[in-house]
Amino acid sequence: MSGACTQGVDTGFVTLGAAKVAILGVVQGITELMPISSTAHMRLVPALLGWQDPGSAFSATMQLAALSAVVCYFWRDIRAIAGGSLAAVASRDWGSTEFRLAVGIVLGTVPIVIAGLFLAPLLNTCDSPLRTLPVIGIACLVMGVLLAIAEIACRHRRRTEDMRLSDALIVGVAQVGALIPGVSRSGSTLTAALFRDFAREEAARFSFLLGLPAIALAGLHEVVTLVHAHLALEGWLILLVGVVVGSLSSFAALWGLMRILERYSTWPFIIYRILLGVAVLWVSFAA
């Protein structure tokens, strides 16, 4: 179904109501942090159920749900990096592991901030051409193939503590791909980290830590956009339902993802992504 607009901003979620948004919040929360593209699911699930497309504003604001889950799960890492960086600055220990990680996170955030500012009008507009099912389906297939290559060709030995600034920049550039619906932020950064020979669970850890500023900025930027669009109170309450439900499901999904990567591989996600891409393309051509 076509999107709904509030002063040019895609706000289809408002017409869905709290109950449907809660269901989509679960779907969004589970798929947001797994490398399987939440946007693809936000287009496919409503399409299959005959519901209104919740819109790009919903997907972007739900980044705040993902943010809360990542901060809670990696709180010890975040606290160690922040405290260690401050101590390193005080002692001028520029080779500190925590300081290097902090600098790497900042450096890796720059590409997506620049790209996001340039592409924001295209991404947030009603009926954005980037949110079409063919684009999402192709993105799912391409990322599934790239993740498969990374799984097969790379050694999976390095740890986050071994991160070099070149690693952060490469993963940061890969994160720009997440602006294209269907690519998946966690999918693009996880794949890039695997290509840099990080162990699977360490690649995910590095991916989420590096993505914290981008996730926070994306969610807060969308909140500001909705404020400027004068979203009604009803819309804010419906959105809040999605964020709360999404936070809980995001944490559960993150916990499950880390357990899978610690014990197995990314092949379940590779197979799922390829099948999802085929399904999305089938729906787009059958519509």
Side-chain angles (χ1 to χ4, degrees):
M1 298 177 68
S2 59
C5 287
T6 301
Q7 296 195 10
V9 179
D10 190 348
T11 56
F13 67 91
V14 177
T15 64
L16 288 172
K20 291 179 180 178
V21 163
I23 294 172
L24 294 182
V26 173
V27 176
Q28 172 88 13
I30 292 173
T31 58
E32 179 66 41
L33 296 181
M34 288 192 172
I36 54 177
S37 177
S38 59
T39 305
H41 290 81
M42 284 300 97
R43 290 289 284 114
L44 185 60
V45 171
L48 291 175
L49 296 176
W51 293 356
Q52 171 76 49
D53 177 6
S56 57
F58 177 77
S59 298
T61 309
M62 287 293 289
Q63 299 283 335
L64 297 177
L67 176 67
S68 66
V70 173
V71 169
C72 289
Y73 190 91
F74 290 105
W75 175 245
R76 290 184 179 179
D77 295 276
I78 295 168
R79 184 174 59 185
I81 292 171
S85 298
L86 292 174
V89 171
S91 63
R92 298 191 177 185
D93 180 13
W94 311 124
S96 162
T97 298
E98 292 80 12
F99 182 76
R100 286 190 296 105
L101 279 170
V103 172
I105 289 170
V106 173
L107 180 65
T109 303
V110 172
I112 197 169
V113 170
I114 295 173
L117 290 174
F118 278 106
L119 293 177
L122 179 62
L123 294 170
N124 293 334
T125 186
C126 297
D127 298 322
S128 169
L130 291 180
R131 283 181 63 83
T132 60
L133 291 178
V135 170
I136 294 172
I138 292 171
C140 284
L141 288 174
V142 170
M143 289 308 301
V145 171
L146 289 176
L147 187 55
I149 294 172
E151 184 65 48
I152 294 170
C154 301
R155 292 176 297 194
H156 315 302
R157 295 176 182 172
R158 296 177 62 199
R159 297 184 59 80
T160 303
E161 289 74 15
D162 303 326
M163 185 275 300
R164 297 187 291 267
L165 293 184
S166 58
D167 298 320
L169 184 58
I170 289 171
V171 176
V173 170
Q175 189 172 222
V176 174
L179 296 175
I180 301 174
V183 168
S184 166
R185 196 209 65 82
S186 60
S188 61
T189 53
L190 175 63
T191 301
L194 289 176
F195 271 116
R196 300 298 291 172
D197 291 323
F198 283 91
R200 296 177 184 90
E201 69 276 11
E202 291 294 315
R205 179 183 171 217
F206 184 30
S207 164
F208 288 123
L209 290 175
L210 184 142
L212 276 172
I215 294 172
L217 289 171
L220 293 174
H221 176 269
E222 199 60 37
V223 168
V224 172
T225 299
L226 290 173
V227 169
H228 289 164
H230 303 294
L231 181 67
L233 177 60
E234 178 190 6
W236 287 112
L237 293 175
I238 292 173
L239 188 59
L240 180 61
V241 170
V243 171
V244 171
V245 173
S247 297
L248 298 174
S249 56
S250 288
F251 187 87
L254 180 54
W255 185 90
L257 171 64
M258 297 304 292
R259 299 291 83 73
I260 291 171
L261 295 180
E262 286 170 3
R263 301 175 185 178
Y264 305 106
S265 71
T266 62
W267 278 108
F269 304 110
I270 293 168
I271 295 170
Y272 183 81
R273 283 202 69 126
I274 292 174
L275 292 176
L276 177 64
V278 171
V280 171
L281 289 175
W282 179 81
V283 169
S284 67
F285 289 122

